[in-house]
Amino acid sequence: MTNLIFALLQTAQVAPEESANSGDLLSPNGGLMFWTLVTFIFLFIILSRLVFPKITAAVEAREKALEEAIEGAKRDREAAARALAEQQQQIEAARNEAQKIIVEGRQIGEKLRAQMMEETHQQQQQMLERARREIEQEKERAIADMRREAVDLAIAGASKVIERNLDDQSNRQIVESFLSSIPAAKTTRG
């Protein structure tokens, strides 16, 4: 190595003399070309051993980081697509469930309406039957009251005609037996 440096120094002293003679920068100069080539090779060796591995490692690390970032982005995109599809399925399921609930609600409403209508109809029929029974009972009471009044009037009239005072109970029995022998149609007219 020391021999190389010494040889370089000797040629460096020769080179300025030759360059002074030439004076033209564009004309080929053998000594200058030699030293340029030596310097290039020397720097290339130093750079290839010390700097290029670090630069290559940094580039490879950057490339690897970019690939990982791209893969991560792909995974994230796929996860987002899956999550979106899952959410859309959940939304669709919720819509279907809501429609089902609405249909069930309508059916229940219709059943309740029909049931209430039936109950109302039954209550109406019961009220009509009760009213008919009450009317019939009132009719029978009215007929009984009219018979009693007719008996009382007949007894009063008969006692004045006969002018004899019969027993009130026996008079009543006589008139009631007479009235019971009369058909019901004739008594309803009076």
Side-chain angles (χ1 to χ4, degrees), residues 6 11 13 16 27 40 45 48 59 66 72 75 78 93 97 102 104 108 110 116 123 129 134-135 155-156 162 180 185:
F6 185 66
T11 50
Q13 291 173 355
S27 64
F40 176 76
I45 292 171
S48 67
V59 168
L66 286 174
R75 284 191 305 270
E78 290 171 359
E97 186 67 26
I102 289 170
E104 287 176 359
I108 290 171
E110 288 297 320
M116 290 175 70
Q123 288 175 355
E129 283 297 317
E134 288 175 3
I135 289 171
I155 292 173
I162 304 176
S180 62

Side-chain angles (χ1 to χ4, degrees), residues 39-50:
T39 305
F40 176 76
I41 291 172
F42 179 70
L43 283 176
F44 182 77
I45 292 171
I46 290 174
L47 289 176
S48 67
R49 294 219 174 135
L50 300 177

Side-chain angles (χ1 to χ4, degrees), residues 130-142:
R130 193 173 357 169
R132 285 182 186 140
R133 281 193 308 264
E134 288 175 3
I135 289 171
E136 191 63 35
Q137 288 172 354
E138 287 296 320
K139 180 180 168 184
E140 288 174 7
R141 273 192 230 129

Side-chain angles (χ1 to χ4, degrees), residues 41 57 73-74 77 120 174 179 185:
I41 291 172
K74 286 180 183 177
R77 183 182 301 146
T120 303
I174 294 168
L179 288 176

Side-chain angles (χ1 to χ4, degrees), residues 50-133:
L50 300 177
V51 178
F52 287 162
K54 291 181 182 178
I55 292 173
T56 306
V59 168
E60 287 175 354
R62 178 69 178 151
E63 183 178 323
K64 184 176 180 182
L66 286 174
E67 287 175 0
E68 289 176 359
I70 290 170
E71 288 298 318
K74 286 180 183 177
R75 284 191 305 270
D76 291 345
R77 183 182 301 146
E78 290 171 359
R82 282 192 305 270
L84 179 63
E86 187 175 309
Q87 286 178 351
Q88 288 175 343
Q89 288 175 349
Q90 289 175 352
I91 289 170
E92 189 63 30
R95 280 188 187 140
N96 291 339
E97 186 67 26
Q99 289 297 326
K100 182 179 175 185
I101 289 170
I102 289 170
V103 168
E104 287 176 359
R106 285 182 183 160
Q107 290 174 348
I108 290 171
E110 288 297 320
K111 286 180 184 177
L112 285 175
R113 182 178 162 270
Q115 184 181 9
M116 290 175 70
M117 291 294 285
E118 182 64 28
E119 288 176 3
T120 303
H121 183 67
Q122 288 176 355
Q123 288 175 355
Q124 187 180 28
Q125 290 298 324
Q126 289 173 353
M127 289 173 67
L128 284 173
E129 283 297 317
R130 193 173 357 169
R132 285 182 186 140
R133 281 193 308 264

Side-chain angles (χ1 to χ4, degrees), residues 5-17:
I5 295 173
F6 185 66
L8 290 174
L9 287 176
Q10 284 180 355
T11 50
Q13 291 173 355
V14 173
E17 292 172 2

